[in-house]
Amino acid sequence: MLSSTSLSIISLWILSSLSSTVAFSIVLLDRFSLCLNIPWAKIAFFPAIWASSWQLISHASPVGHLVTWSPVTGIASYEWVRPLFGAWGINWLVGAYAIVVAELVGAWFIGPVEDFEPPGPLIPSVVSDADPQPLTSKPAFPKTTYHSLLLGTALLGLTLPSFFLPTVPTFPWSVSSTPLPIGCVLPHPSQPDDGITPLDRFIVESRQHNGARLLLWPEGALRFENTAQRESAINRVKDEIKGPIVGVTFTEPVPPSAGWTHSRDGAWRNGLVLVGPNGLIAEFYKRNLVPIAESFSLTESKEKPELYEIELHGSKSHKKWTPAPPYDRTISLTAAICLDFSSPSIFTSLKSRPTVILAPARTWHRDVSIAMWEQARARAEEAGSMVLFCDGGAEGASGVAGHGIREPVQFGSGSWTRTVGVAWPFNQNRTLHMWGGDALPFGFVWLLLGAGWATQALILRRTLGESGGVTGSFLRLRELVDKIKGIIRRPAPSVEGEQRPLLL
C-alpha cells in the first residue's frame, strides 16, 4: 500500500538518489574496459556489468525494480525478450544501445584517428643518397567503432521477431480459447456518516457483477481486529455473493497460529484470500513492504507465491458457456500484492505457468499507480500470463495486462468486468525465464562476453602471431619490465678520447 504521501515521497527520493549514484558508478566502472586489448571485450563489458548491477540492486532494494533504471515502457520491439531472459535481457539491450551510441557519436565527434608511420632517424645518414621520406598518415576509425556498427546491426535484427509474433489479445469466443469474465470491485468513495461498513459496500458492489468468474477487491479493502471478524467476513462473502470467485483483501494482526516466528509482537499483515461458493480457497500475504510507510507497522510474509487450480463449470442457465466442449475447464491462479511485483523473481518458484495473476494495489498518486501497473504487466509477460490489476487509489489504474493487452481499463473508482480470452488448451509449461531464474541470463550475459573475447583473441593470435592478441599483450608488458630493470642495473659507460661523441 503506497498511501502515505510524505513518507512514500521521502522513501522514493532516497532510493532514487541511490539508484542514480549506482548508475554513475557503473559508468565509471566501464573505464576498466579501456585496459582490454580485444575490441569485442571493450564493447561487451558495459552491457554485462549494467545488466548484472541492476539485477543485483533489484534483489537488494526493498522496492525492487521500481526505482532502478530498467525500462518497462517504450520497448515494444523487444517485449518478446521478457519471457526468455526477463529484466536481464532488457537491461543488457539498454547497455548495448548505450555503447553503440557512445562509440558512434564519439567517432563522429573526434573523427578518424591518424596512424602515423614510424619516422626515420633524426639525422639522415651521410652515406645514403636517398631523400628522407616524408611522414605519412593513414586516417582510420578505431576497431571498436566497426564492432559497434556490427553490434548495432545485431540490435536492429533483434527487433524482427516483434513483426511475426502475435501481439493482439486472444479472441474470447473461439474453439481454441476459453472466455473468462473477470473484473475489479472498486466502489465509489462513501459519504460521511452514511452508516455503511466497508464490507457491506464491497458485497453490494460485487453482487452487481455476478456474471463474472473472478472478482478482485483492491488492496486493504477491509480491516480485521481479530480472527473472528475475518471468519465472519469470509462467511458473508461466501453466502451473499453467488457465482464468482472473490479476492478479498484485508489487513489483520498476525495471529499466533500463523507461525510467523519473524513477526514482531503486535504487528499486522497485509493479505488476500480467495473465497468461492464452498468457502476459502487460497491465501496470499504481502512480501515486499514499502520502506517506512509500511515496514514499521506491518510484517512481511516469507512464503513464496503458490499456484491454485480453479475449476470452471457451466451454470443451469448457461450450460454451454464455451463455443466448444469440454464445458468443464480448469485455470490456475496465483497472486501478489502491490509492491511484490517490483521483485524480479517473484514467480520463478512456480512449478507451472499461471493462467491469471491477481494484483490488488492501493497507491496515492496516478504516476505511482502507472509505475506499479507497468511492473505488474512486466512480471506477467515474463511468466507468459496475464494479470488482473485493481488499484483502489483515488486515481489508481485498473485493468487486465498481458497477452497483447497493455492499457488499463480505467483510472479511479467504479467497478467493471471484462471478458478475456485464454488459449485452450492452455500452455502450462514455464517460460525460459521462470525455468532459469537469474542463473541462466547471468551465465548467458557473461558467456557472451567471454566467448567473444576468447574467439577474437584466438583470431588475433593466429593472424598476428605471438605478438598479437592477449599473448602479445603479456609479452610486450614483460619486455617493458625487462628493459626498465636493465636500465636500473646497468652502470653508466665511461667515455674517453675518440670515443666521445662529436655531437652533444
Side-chain angles (χ1 to χ4, degrees):
M1 183 185 301
L2 297 173
S3 57
S4 177
T5 305
S6 58
L7 292 179
S8 297
I9 289 178
I10 294 174
S11 301
L12 292 176
W13 180 81
I14 294 175
L15 294 172
S16 298
S17 300
L18 292 176
S19 65
S20 300
T21 304
V22 170
F24 183 70
S25 302
I26 297 174
V27 174
L28 292 181
L29 187 63
D30 185 58
R31 292 184 60 85
F32 285 105
S33 66
L34 300 177
C35 304
L36 303 176
N37 196 39
I38 306 299
W40 172 254
K42 289 183 178 180
I43 64 173
F45 181 72
F46 180 76
I49 62 171
W50 182 265
S52 301
S53 299
W54 285 124
Q55 198 69 9
L56 179 63
I57 294 299
S58 67
H59 282 283
S61 171
V63 293
H65 275 303
L66 193 59
V67 293
T68 63
W69 289 22
S70 300
V72 289
T73 59
I75 52 173
S77 298
Y78 297 103
E79 286 288 351
W80 64 270
V81 176
R82 286 198 179 278
L84 301 179
F85 301 109
W88 274 94
I90 301 299
N91 288 330
W92 189 91
L93 290 170
V94 171
Y97 265 109
I99 284 294
V100 170
V101 172
E103 288 289 339
L104 296 182
V105 171
W108 168 78
F109 184 76
I110 299 175
V113 178
E114 294 185 352
D115 186 14
F116 289 97
E117 294 183 354
L122 182 62
I123 301 178
S125 174
V126 295
V127 299
S128 174
D129 295 333
D131 295 332
Q133 296 295 326
L135 300 180
T136 60
S137 62
K138 299 178 180 180
F141 288 101
K143 293 182 179 180
T144 53
T145 302
Y146 300 106
H147 287 77
S148 299
L149 289 174
L150 179 62
L151 179 60
T153 304
L155 292 175
L156 294 178
L158 290 177
T159 64
L160 294 178
S162 63
F163 293 97
F164 304 101
L165 295 176
T167 57
V168 295
T170 303
F171 185 62
W173 297 98
S174 170
V175 295
S176 60
S177 65
T178 298
L180 185 63
I182 56 179
C184 292
V185 180
L186 302 168
H188 293 288
S190 60
Q191 299 297 326
D193 302 327
D194 58 5
I196 302 176
T197 65
L199 178 59
D200 291 332
R201 291 173 54 241
F202 276 94
I203 288 179
V204 170
E205 195 80 12
S206 299
R207 292 175 63 180
Q208 298 177 9
H209 299 275
N210 281 343
R213 291 284 187 173
L214 184 63
L215 293 176
L216 179 63
W217 297 2
E219 180 186 6
L222 306 177
R223 178 183 175 91
F224 303 134
E225 297 293 338
N226 49 56
T227 306
Q229 290 184 0
R230 169 183 160 173
E231 296 301 325
S232 175
I234 292 176
N235 289 330
R236 285 194 57 187
V237 171
K238 179 190 68 173
D239 297 335
E240 299 182 29
I241 303 177
K242 303 297 183 180
I245 295 173
V246 183
V248 180
T249 58
F250 57 90
T251 56
E252 67 171 359
V254 179
S257 59
W260 287 21
T261 56
H262 63 281
S263 176
R264 303 182 304 274
D265 292 338
W268 288 53
R269 63 181 180 180
N270 192 328
L272 160 68
V273 293
L274 291 181
V275 182
N278 298 323
L280 184 64
I281 298 175
E283 300 180 55
F284 304 91
Y285 294 95
K286 193 171 185 177
R287 299 181 62 192
N288 290 5
L289 304 178
V290 181
I292 303 176
E294 291 182 334
S295 57
F296 292 145
S297 59
L298 299 177
T299 298
E300 75 282 2
S301 173
K302 299 296 184 180
E303 300 175 357
K304 297 180 180 180
E306 297 183 5
L307 206 60
Y308 295 89
E309 292 189 348
I310 307 297
E311 295 183 356
L312 303 179
H313 306 284
S315 62
K316 293 181 179 180
S317 60
H318 197 40
K319 294 181 179 180
K320 297 182 178 180
W321 59 280
T322 63
Y327 300 113
D328 295 336
R329 300 185 179 183
T330 302
I331 62 172
S332 56
L333 300 178
T334 189
I337 301 176
C338 199
L339 197 58
D340 291 344
F341 285 93
S342 66
S343 175
S345 57
I346 182 67
F347 300 118
T348 55
S349 61
L350 297 178
K351 301 302 181 183
S352 62
R353 181 185 307 195
T355 307
V356 178
I357 302 172
L358 305 181
R362 186 177 298 274
T363 59
W364 50 266
H365 193 273
R366 181 189 181 101
D367 292 340
V368 179
S369 181
I370 294 176
M372 290 309 309
W373 160 268
E374 294 295 344
Q375 290 295 326
R377 186 184 65 83
R379 303 293 88 79
E381 296 286 357
E382 293 165 3
S385 180
M386 61 176 58
V387 60
L388 174 60
F389 186 85
C390 301
D391 188 345
E395 298 181 348
S398 59
V400 182
H403 290 179
I405 306 175
R406 300 175 180 275
E407 300 299 327
V409 171
Q410 67 177 33
F411 289 90
S413 59
S415 302
W416 57 266
T417 57
R418 175 176 181 174
T419 301
V420 297
V422 177
W424 176 261
F426 181 71
N427 180 14
Q428 294 185 338
N429 295 326
R430 292 188 296 174
T431 62
L432 186 64
H433 171 68
M434 294 179 65
W435 176 80
D438 286 324
L440 180 64
F442 174 81
F444 180 80
V445 164
W446 288 99
L447 181 63
L448 190 63
L449 169 62
W453 187 355
T455 301
Q456 195 169 15
L458 182 61
I459 294 175
L460 287 175
R461 181 176 179 180
R462 290 183 177 180
T463 304
L464 304 177
E466 290 296 327
S467 62
V470 179
T471 306
S473 299
F474 285 108
L475 289 176
R476 288 193 295 271
L477 179 61
R478 188 175 64 183
E479 291 175 0
L480 179 61
V481 173
D482 291 339
K483 287 182 180 180
I484 294 176
K485 290 182 178 179
I487 294 175
I488 295 176
R489 296 177 179 177
R490 185 175 57 190
S494 58
V495 181
E496 298 179 359
E498 295 295 332
Q499 295 181 355
R500 186 181 300 275
L502 296 177
L503 297 177
L504 298 177

